Amino acid sequence: MMSDELLRIEELSVRFAGSSRNALEKISLQIGRGERVGLIGESGSGKSLTALTIMGLLADNAKCRGSIRWQGRELLGLRDAEYSRLRGEEISMVFQEPMTALDPTMRTGRQVAEVLRLHERAPVGKARPRVLEMLADVGITDPQRVADSFPHQLSGGQRQRVLIAMALINTPDLLICDEPTTALDVTVQARVLELLRSGLDRAGSALLFISHDLAVVSQMVDRIAVIYQGRIVEAGTRSQVLENP
C-alpha cells in the first residue's frame, strides 16, 4: 500500500436480500491523499451505491464481500459507533438533493454546528463564529441570515452550499460528492463547482466525485473510473478516459 493512500477498495461486491444478482460486482478503486477521482456512469449503474457502501450507510438487507480499507483499516464489518466517529470527520459526503439531506425542522446554522459539536465537542459559543465563517467561505453572502433560516427558506444553490459547508468544516481527508450540482441551473452549478474546488484546496482533502455528466467531471478530477451495471469497466487519467476511451 502506498504511504499516501487513503482509500483502497478491492473486489467489493454488494447484493441485497431477495436479489439474484449483485448490485456491485468486484469493484476495485484507490484514492491517494489529496487526489481527485471521478466515478461516472448512467443512472442505476451503482455510483451512489458505491458511495453509500464506503460511508457504511447500506440497508440491513445488504450483504458485502471484498474489502474497503481506509488508511489501512478495514471498514467492512466496522461497528456503527466506530463508523460514526469516522463519518463527518475523516470522510464526509455531499448528497445529491439537499432538501432530503438537511433536516427541515432545524435551522441550517445549528445543523452545521452539530458537526463541530459531535466531532470536536465545540461549545455552542465557539461553534457559531466558525459556522458563519464556513458559510462565508462557500460563497454565502449573508451567513447570519442563512444560519438562522430553515432549509425551505433558502434557494437550491444556498442549500447546496450549506451541505458543502457541513462537509468541509472539519477538514476531512476525503470528500465524497454524489451528483452535487444535478438539481441546479447551469449558472449556479458553475459557481458551486468553483466554491467546491476552492474549499478542497483550503482543506487539502481528496475527492471522490460521482456524476453522469462528463463535462462537470472533467472540471473536477484527475482520474476517472467508469461504472456500468455494477462493474468498473474502464479507469485511467482524465485525458485517457475522455479523449481515448
Side-chain angles (χ1 to χ4, degrees):
M1 184 182 75
M2 298 182 299
S3 60
D4 64 347
E5 186 175 87
L6 285 177
L7 181 72
R8 174 174 286 269
I9 302 173
E10 292 183 319
E11 300 286 299
L12 174 67
S13 295
V14 176
R15 179 177 293 193
F16 292 94
S19 175
S20 61
R21 59 181 292 273
N22 289 338
L24 294 180
E25 182 67 40
K26 296 185 177 180
I27 294 285
S28 293
L29 185 69
Q30 297 82 41
I31 300 177
R33 190 172 297 277
E35 190 177 20
R36 299 179 184 181
V37 178
L39 183 63
I40 64 174
E42 63 188 18
S43 296
S45 59
K47 305 185 301 297
S48 297
L49 182 59
T50 300
L52 292 173
T53 307
I54 295 169
M55 294 293 287
L57 295 174
L58 291 183
D60 292 338
N61 65 339
K63 301 293 183 183
C64 300
R65 301 185 66 177
S67 175
I68 303 176
R69 300 192 70 82
W70 173 251
Q71 301 191 65
R73 180 188 188 188
E74 181 59 53
L75 297 186
L76 291 186
L78 206 63
R79 292 182 302 174
D80 286 342
E82 294 175 293
Y83 237 127
S84 293
R85 286 192 288 270
L86 189 72
R87 287 190 294 258
E89 183 172 359
E90 297 182 41
I91 308 175
S92 290
M93 186 166 174
V94 176
F95 292 90
Q96 178 174 349
E97 179 44 66
M99 272 304 284
T100 58
L102 293 170
D103 187 335
T105 68
M106 289 175 60
R107 300 183 191 276
T108 56
R110 182 181 168 193
Q111 296 188 57
V112 180
E114 274 202 340
V115 181
L116 281 175
R117 291 201 290 269
L118 178 63
H119 294 287
E120 296 189 9
R121 295 181 173 84
V124 176
K126 288 188 176 181
R128 174 78 176 187
R130 286 191 61 187
V131 168
L132 297 179
E133 180 183 7
M134 194 70 215
L135 291 176
D137 283 347
V138 297
I140 290 175
T141 55
D142 189 358
Q144 294 209 39
R145 181 188 64 81
V146 170
D148 293 333
S149 299
F150 292 98
H152 73 272
Q153 296 173 311
L154 305 177
S155 69
Q158 288 172 325
R159 288 192 292 265
Q160 197 61 277
R161 286 174 171 89
V162 170
L163 281 186
I164 293 171
M166 290 175 68
L168 289 176
I169 198 165
N170 281 329
T171 58
D173 294 308
L174 174 64
L175 178 66
I176 300 174
C177 290
D178 185 8
E179 305 265 17
T181 59
T182 297
L184 306 177
D185 65 50
V186 175
T187 304
V188 177
Q189 180 185 88
R191 179 63 177 146
V192 168
L193 291 176
E194 179 185 335
L195 292 166
L196 186 55
R197 283 192 297 268
S198 61
L200 288 166
D201 289 340
R202 284 193 300 271
S205 304
L207 172 69
L208 177 60
F209 193 91
I210 295 170
S211 182
H212 64 275
D213 190 325
L214 295 176
V216 170
V217 169
S218 67
Q219 301 176 51
M220 297 299 299
V221 304
D222 308 307
R223 283 196 299 115
I224 294 174
V226 182
I227 187 169
Y228 178 69
Q229 293 187 353
R231 296 175 179 266
I232 298 289
V233 295
E234 186 173 3
T237 65
R238 178 179 57 199
S239 59
Q240 286 173 337
V241 173
L242 297 182
E243 297 171 19
N244 188 30

